[in-house]
Amino acid sequence: MEPVYERIPSKHEVSTSYRPFSGSSPNPDTHLAPAASPPTQHSHGRFFRHWLWQILSLLWLAPIATLLYLNFSHFVIGASVWCPGGNCNAESTTEGAIQRAQELDRNDHDANGALQFVAKFLEVWFMFVATGLLYDIGLLFARKGRGLPVGYLLTHLEFTDVRYVFNPLLWTSPWPHRHSVPEKRIRIMKLYIFALLTALLTILANLMGPATAVLVLPTLQWVDTPHVSEYIFNGTSVMYAPETDNVFYNCTASQLLARNYSCTLEMYGSALDAQAAQGIASTKQAYSSDGNILLGVSQEEALQFAYNGTQGILTWIANRQVLREMSHEYLKTTGYFADWSPPEYPDARYNNSLQTIMQRQGPSLGVQSNCYSGNITDIELDDDRWVRCYTGWTFDGYSYYTKCLRLGQGFNNTNYDAQFRLYIVDPDVPEYETGVGVYFADKAAYYNETEDFGSGIRACVETETTQDCEWDLVFDSADLPPELKNTSINVGVVSYQVPGTSDDSNRVWCDHVTYQSFPTYSVDTRIESSNPLSLVTLNDLPGNATIPQVVSPDWFLAAWSVDHDGILDGERQIVKELIRVLPAAYETDLTDIDSFLDYQTFILIHTYALGQSLSLVPYSTSPPPGPTEAKEAEKDKNFHPVLHTWATMHVWAFGLSGRTSKLGVAVVITGALCVIARFLVGLRIGISGMSTVEVLAAAFEHRHQGEFEGLEEETHLAKVRYQVAEEAGGRQRFIPEKRVSRWSHASRV
């Protein structure tokens, strides 16, 4: 082992009084440090600077706390980033909407540019705080024990470079060099904690800029207003015939009770005609060139809607009662009544947004409907029971079945039926008259030449023993496959007699099964740009439904605006079109383009009439539940849900919707903890801290005492420790670890 040489201090050096940070004299043979002198102008200046840096460091928390509050509370600014006093009306429903949007866009660019400077300022401010934290902690290490390694003397100046994390000196300096006196592991661990803190501050310093930018810059977001509970849904009247005059404005209760639905012609008859005309015109456009069939729209007060067929085999129909309720809010929002401003129609409430979508939950009826051509067979059982069978039913176009319905209230009091006739007189065509029957059956059965699925209905229909059949058992015992079972309960049928044929049993018939859901009705209020048609859409629709609804056939008559057993004449174009295309629909020759277009026309007319009938159905409600009834209402939400209304606004807002914003929150919160640590460490050091000038002066004044002898590699040089001690007059001195060790030994003698 090589001998360790230690330099012997001179007499002058021994007489000099060094006072370590602990306050004890380094050498018991020397005199004590003189008493502290009264405060001087220098100490007053140091006191002022110390608390100035403390306050400036702590003040960084104020803007950060504000940003966290704005983002956690999802604070909404409005239609523009620059929105002083909340006055940035987008005027999206006026003629100057485009010019106003351009003006707001220019303001947004200016405001976002200014906020980026704010983010950079917060980043620089944090670097100032982090530098002070590392400097103060390093000073604490330098004033205690064996001092601070040389490799950490400039850590507070180098840590902002991300490459410093990979500097070997950061991770090797805590361990003593080979010529050093052995050191306790707890001291080494503390230095490694300092290294980890330095690495953490390096990462924070480089992430703080993007993190503050993410939080300080608002983004365009879709923000929901509070969901208001409107009412509890009780049920629809779909299983009952129209009874009250609040459903149809032009009808009296007595007319509806007598099943005289021609009173709906003025409002809804013309609506059906217009909707069908749009669909027919679109069909011809689609097949005359490259195109597509566009659905016709129907109007209810200030809004329009189209049928939604995006969810598989079901077509969902908007409810007109929901649309009427929504129309009142829509008129308020778009400011249609701003010119005369009655009390019930205040100015637009949502104009402080770039776009507002009004939303309302409500009932909707969806229908699965298909049409076929075939013949009918009627089996009369008694006055209020009979069975009707239709040929030609198929679910895949290959396997064909006969579908039989049990009809009449003798089977079930829901099994109603209704009829009307179509009549046309045209000098250019033969006189046509055809009948339309609408039926509802609670149960249906199927059979073909080889299979009746165990029901026995094939034998009952094809033999003369119909009276001897157990018809209730026939319709209950069938073990149907899923594709047939789905259309065997609560089935509606519309049967069209084919005109111009010698066989009165020829029919084009369509069956349908109806379901209920509670979608969200949405309407964009930007009538000048994105929604000039004031079109309502249905969202949050189910992919499938499970409970078929009982549907009164009279709603189909109300849709056509015809009385029960009444006649629709050819003055309405839709009647002419229907009678014209029925023969082609019966033949279903889809290879001929004209026949195919006629078949498509029939499908459109039937679909629009069926959809119109389901859109007319009203529903009843009760007041929303209070806090105590909310839990009970939640249990019954599938059948009697609480329906809400709200608006979704496209606005500039703060928020934590993305992963980057959550990362930004984590970074600034960690930075805030570092700022608090900087303040506490500053309190620990007090005004006795050293400035960088004092550190440099002490370093230049220090005379080499052999502490680097035998150390050549940079990693070894960085491990040499120095303690910083203060003389009696306030001067700072660098004391190498060897001298510290000897004095510490001398003090223990």
Side-chain angles (χ1 to χ4, degrees):
M1 179 177 178
E2 296 181 3
V4 178
Y5 295 95
E6 185 167 350
R7 178 176 172 273
I8 304 301
S10 65
K11 180 180 180 180
H12 173 73
E13 291 172 326
V14 172
S15 64
T16 303
S17 175
Y18 288 90
R19 181 167 55 85
F21 180 73
S22 62
S24 61
S25 177
N27 193 335
D29 299 329
T30 60
H31 60 82
L32 296 175
S37 58
T40 63
Q41 183 177 359
H42 175 73
S43 63
H44 284 302
R46 176 172 289 187
F47 177 85
F48 174 77
R49 288 195 303 272
H50 167 74
W51 281 106
L52 176 62
W53 302 141
Q54 287 284 88
I55 293 173
L56 286 178
S57 298
L58 204 60
L59 282 177
W60 187 82
L61 297 176
I64 294 303
T66 302
L67 289 178
L68 291 176
Y69 169 76
L70 293 175
N71 282 275
F72 274 106
S73 64
H74 299 280
F75 182 80
V76 175
I77 303 173
S80 174
V81 180
W82 178 247
C83 193
N87 183 22
C88 49
N89 195 317
E91 301 174 4
S92 58
T93 61
T94 64
E95 294 181 357
I98 296 178
Q99 292 78 6
R100 179 58 174 165
Q102 293 173 342
E103 179 184 352
L104 293 178
D105 186 62
R106 289 191 296 269
N107 294 341
D108 294 339
H109 281 288
D110 293 340
N112 280 327
L115 290 175
Q116 292 186 49
F117 283 101
V118 173
K120 185 63 179 178
F121 176 73
L122 291 174
E123 177 191 10
V124 174
W125 193 351
F126 176 77
M127 288 183 178
F128 158 76
V129 176
T131 300
L133 176 61
L134 286 178
Y135 182 81
D136 288 348
I137 294 178
L139 185 59
L140 286 178
F141 275 102
R143 287 182 171 180
K144 284 188 175 183
R146 294 174 58 184
L148 186 72
V150 171
Y152 289 164
L153 289 178
L154 299 179
T155 295
H156 64 288
L157 300 178
E158 298 176 316
F159 81 99
T160 55
D161 187 348
V162 72
R163 293 175 297 177
Y164 190 67
V165 176
F166 306 100
N167 188 343
L169 300 183
L170 179 64
W171 307 107
T172 60
S173 296
W175 201 259
H177 60 82
R178 64 179 181 273
H179 298 309
S180 176
V181 176
E183 189 170 12
K184 293 181 179 181
R185 290 188 179 272
I186 186 64
R187 175 71 179 178
I188 297 174
M189 291 303 299
K190 289 181 179 179
L191 288 173
Y192 271 114
I193 292 175
F194 178 76
L196 291 173
L197 175 63
T198 302
L200 173 64
L201 289 176
T202 299
I203 297 173
L204 285 179
N206 285 275
L207 291 179
M208 191 58 67
T212 53
V214 167
L215 297 182
V216 80
L217 292 173
T219 56
L220 275 174
Q221 302 178 26
W222 289 102
V223 178
D224 285 352
T225 61
H227 290 215
V228 178
S229 299
E230 284 281 292
Y231 37 65
I232 297 177
F233 174 81
N234 291 335
T236 68
S237 301
V238 67
M239 67 181 297
Y240 307 108
E243 295 177 349
T244 59
D245 52 0
N246 60 358
V247 179
F248 305 112
Y249 300 134
N250 297 327
C251 298
T252 64
S254 58
Q255 288 176 311
L256 298 178
L257 188 61
R259 305 176 75 181
N260 295 332
Y261 304 115
S262 57
C263 56
T264 67
L265 177 63
E266 183 177 346
M267 179 170 290
Y268 294 117
S270 56
L272 177 61
D273 294 354
Q275 192 176 21
Q278 293 177 53
I280 294 170
S282 179
T283 301
K284 295 178 180 179
Q285 286 280 346
Y287 290 99
S288 63
S289 60
D290 292 336
N292 195 11
I293 298 178
L294 302 180
L295 293 176
V297 298
S298 185
Q299 181 176 349
E300 184 64 33
E301 293 193 356
L303 300 173
Q304 296 192 90
F305 68 98
Y307 303 157
N308 188 319
T310 60
Q311 299 296 319
I313 60 176
L314 295 179
T315 299
W316 292 96
I317 315 299
N319 185 281
R320 291 182 181 271
Q321 182 176 335
V322 178
L323 296 178
R324 287 192 290 271
E325 295 171 356
M326 203 171 190
S327 178
H328 300 314
E329 294 296 323
Y330 179 75
L331 293 177
K332 298 177 188 179
T333 303
T334 55
Y336 273 143
F337 294 96
D339 293 339
W340 49 284
S341 296
E344 65 271 20
Y345 289 106
D347 292 337
R349 296 175 294 166
Y350 303 120
N351 258 334
N352 193 19
S353 66
L354 293 173
Q355 187 175 1
T356 298
I357 297 179
M358 295 177 52
Q359 313 226 52
R360 174 182 289 267
Q361 292 174 324
S364 172
L365 294 175
V367 62
Q368 175 187 348
S369 178
N370 292 284
C371 295
Y372 320 91
S373 59
N375 299 90
I376 62 169
T377 300
D378 287 331
I379 303 172
E380 297 286 346
L381 302 179
D382 47 50
D383 292 341
D384 58 355
R385 291 194 316 153
W386 52 295
V387 175
R388 167 169 282 194
C389 296
Y390 291 91
T391 62
W393 191 92
T394 180
F395 65 90
D396 58 6
Y398 300 100
S399 302
Y400 286 87
Y401 297 87
T402 296
K403 183 170 187 174
C404 297
L405 311 173
R406 69 176 198 178
L407 302 174
Q409 297 182 56
F411 282 115
N412 193 307
N413 57 11
T414 62
N415 293 358
Y416 282 97
D417 62 272
Q419 294 82 31
F420 64 95
R421 303 193 66 78
L422 305 175
Y423 179 76
I424 180 173
V425 177
D426 192 323
D428 298 327
V429 297
E431 181 176 317
Y432 279 151
E433 181 177 357
T434 186
V436 180
V438 189
Y439 309 93
F440 181 83
D442 63 328
K443 293 181 181 180
Y446 298 85
Y447 73 91
N448 59 17
E449 295 178 354
T450 60
E451 181 67 74
D452 64 3
F453 308 102
S455 66
I457 192 171
R458 181 166 175 264
C460 290
V461 173
E462 294 183 352
T463 64
E464 298 181 356
T465 60
T466 56
Q467 297 295 336
D468 299 330
C469 290
E470 294 289 340
W471 288 104
D472 289 330
L473 183 62
V474 165
F475 283 94
D476 287 336
S477 61
D479 185 16
L480 298 175
E483 59 270 15
L484 277 66
K485 190 173 183 179
N486 291 338
T487 56
S488 65
I489 299 176
N490 289 348
V491 183
V493 170
V494 180
S495 176
Y496 300 89
Q497 186 178 13
V498 180
T501 62
S502 58
D503 190 348
D504 289 341
S505 68
N506 293 345
R507 294 290 189 275
V508 176
W509 63 283
C510 305
D511 64 351
H512 58 268
V513 180
T514 304
Y515 301 92
Q516 181 175 274
S517 70
F518 299 92
T520 300
Y521 290 68
S522 303
V523 58
D524 187 348
T525 60
R526 292 203 304 180
I527 57 177
E528 293 296 327
S529 52
S530 57
N531 192 20
L533 296 179
S534 300
L535 191 65
V536 175
T537 60
L538 301 183
N539 304 298
D540 304 324
L541 289 165
N544 52 40
T546 57
I547 303 178
Q549 301 290 303
V550 176
V551 181
S552 170
D554 282 29
W555 291 107
F556 195 79
L557 273 63
W560 273 99
S561 302
V562 62
D563 301 335
H564 175 59
D565 285 332
I567 296 177
L568 279 177
D569 59 39
E571 292 183 1
R572 294 173 61 179
Q573 185 62 33
I574 189 174
V575 175
K576 292 181 180 180
E577 285 293 317
L578 181 57
I579 291 180
R580 183 184 66 82
V581 300
L582 272 174
Y586 179 77
E587 296 296 335
T588 60
D589 182 10
L590 304 184
T591 59
D592 178 69
I593 185 62
D594 291 332
S595 297
F596 178 73
L597 289 177
D598 287 344
Y599 176 76
Q600 290 292 335
T601 298
F602 166 77
I603 295 296
L604 284 174
I605 292 176
H606 171 75
T607 301
Y608 286 134
L610 182 60
Q612 172 94 314
S613 68
L614 298 179
S615 73
L616 298 172
V617 177
Y619 59 92
S620 61
T621 61
S622 56
T628 56
E629 298 90 2
K631 291 184 179 180
E632 292 298 325
E634 182 67 19
K635 296 178 182 178
D636 201 22
K637 64 180 181 179
N638 292 329
F639 299 99
H640 303 286
V642 179
L643 303 179
H644 300 84
T645 181
W646 69 96
T648 301
M649 300 186 297
H650 201 205
V651 291
W652 289 96
F654 296 94
L656 303 177
S657 56
R659 296 176 181 173
T660 54
S661 57
K662 293 180 175 65
L663 176 62
V665 167
V667 170
V668 299
I669 289 179
T670 307
L673 295 176
C674 293
V675 171
I676 296 173
R678 163 71 178 86
F679 181 78
L680 296 176
V681 172
L683 291 179
R684 171 70 177 82
I685 292 178
I687 64 172
S688 62
M690 295 172 59
S691 68
T692 53
V693 173
E694 291 175 314
V695 173
L696 287 175
F700 286 134
E701 190 176 19
H702 175 70
R703 286 180 291 180
H704 174 55
Q705 300 176 20
E707 56 267 25
F708 294 105
E709 291 179 1
L711 305 176
E712 297 180 357
E713 296 183 11
E714 182 185 25
T715 55
H716 293 162
L717 295 173
K719 295 179 179 181
V720 175
R721 289 163 171 73
Y722 281 93
Q723 186 186 40
V724 177
E726 185 178 352
E727 293 181 344
R731 295 285 297 278
Q732 307 293 331
R733 291 286 185 178
F734 273 48
I735 304 175
E737 58 179 324
K738 293 179 181 179
R739 174 172 292 184
V740 171
S741 300
R742 185 169 71 86
W743 285 0
S744 298
H745 175 73
S747 65
R748 293 193 296 270
V749 176

